[in-house]
Amino acid sequence: MESCYRQLDETTFDSRGDLRSTLDHARDAEASQDAAHARAWRITRAPEDFPRLTGRRAEGIGAVPGATDTSSRLELPGMHVDGYVAVIEWRFVEGGVGTGGTATAWGRQLVPLLPDEEPSPWERTLVLADSGGGITMTVDPRRHTYINCDLHVVLDRDPEGEWVRMDSQALATPGHGGTVRTTLADRHGEIGTGLQTMVAQDARS
């Protein structure tokens, strides 16, 4: 399959920080208009003898489920079926679209972001992390919009492999706003967290 992404007109970079932590900022533009901003911290790795902190993490993630006729593609009412949706393979463990706002699923990116360049596990994780709002979609898109305006991803170790596990929950409070929170994992266990700020509105507003 060919990559479904295209090059924008202009990309600029800047960095600030010190030897231990640096904040990188990339800006993409098309026709002199900002199209996207991305920021990432580059932080010196913790020493090998640093104390292990496990918090409340559950042990055991489970294997990637086998493929079925209905589990490989994400289907949303009225959604465009090409582009991103067509190049991600899914294996749902529980929940999903229309099941109340929670989902646990494994996903795998099928095409490279750049031609002839194998995606790294970090790239695969960042690509999948933006799907939290999609795999938990429960509101009727003909009546309501529930779309993220940002994405924050924090990992405490390097991911491994092609598959990324997402345990996501969608939250919304009438009269206020919404978020989608995702626990990210690979086949060895949890690796970090994804957070999306959601724009929750009436479809006709």
Side-chain angles (χ1 to χ4, degrees):
M1 301 179 69
E2 295 183 357
S3 173
C4 61
Y5 307 99
R6 63 189 178 87
Q7 185 74 33
L8 294 172
D9 293 339
E10 178 187 3
T11 301
T12 58
F13 299 92
D14 64 75
S15 299
R16 61 182 177 85
D18 54 31
L19 295 177
R20 293 186 176 183
S21 60
T22 301
L23 179 61
D24 292 336
H25 176 209
R27 166 187 170 271
D28 280 329
E30 184 173 22
S32 299
Q33 297 292 319
D34 283 2
H37 287 262
R39 294 179 177 87
W41 283 100
R42 286 188 292 121
I43 300 174
T44 302
R45 289 181 180 272
E48 293 293 336
D49 60 352
F50 195 87
R52 183 177 297 275
L53 305 174
T54 59
R56 297 189 180 93
R57 281 183 170 171
E59 295 188 11
I61 289 296
V64 180
T68 68
D69 292 340
T70 59
S71 67
S72 62
R73 292 190 62 173
L74 182 64
E75 295 185 2
L76 296 172
M79 174 177 268
H80 183 61
V81 297
D82 296 322
Y84 180 87
V85 176
V87 298
I88 303 295
E89 180 180 2
W90 291 100
R91 306 279 177 86
F92 278 85
V93 177
E94 61 180 13
V97 176
T99 62
T102 61
T104 302
W106 291 87
R108 177 172 64 161
Q109 177 185 342
L110 298 177
V111 301
L113 284 172
L114 300 175
D116 302 320
E117 183 176 304
E118 179 66 20
S120 71
W122 265 92
E123 290 171 331
R124 291 178 179 277
T125 301
L126 293 174
V127 167
L128 266 293
D130 197 37
S131 296
I135 65 175
T136 58
M137 178 60 71
T138 293
V139 300
D140 184 344
R142 295 168 298 185
R143 300 181 58 191
H144 307 287
T145 61
Y146 191 67
I147 302 171
N148 64 299
C149 60
D150 64 7
L151 170 66
H152 300 265
V153 178
V154 181
L155 306 185
D156 58 82
R157 70 167 173 84
D158 290 338
E160 296 184 21
E162 294 183 326
W163 290 93
V164 179
R165 183 182 185 271
M166 301 179 62
D167 186 0
S168 303
Q169 59 174 326
L171 305 167
T173 301
H176 296 268
T179 60
V180 173
R181 303 175 187 178
T182 299
T183 298
L184 300 162
D186 61 16
R187 59 191 178 89
H188 298 295
E190 294 181 14
I191 57 176
T193 303
L195 177 64
Q196 296 168 293
T197 305
M198 308 302 287
V199 179
Q201 296 290 314
D202 291 334
R204 295 188 178 90
S205 65

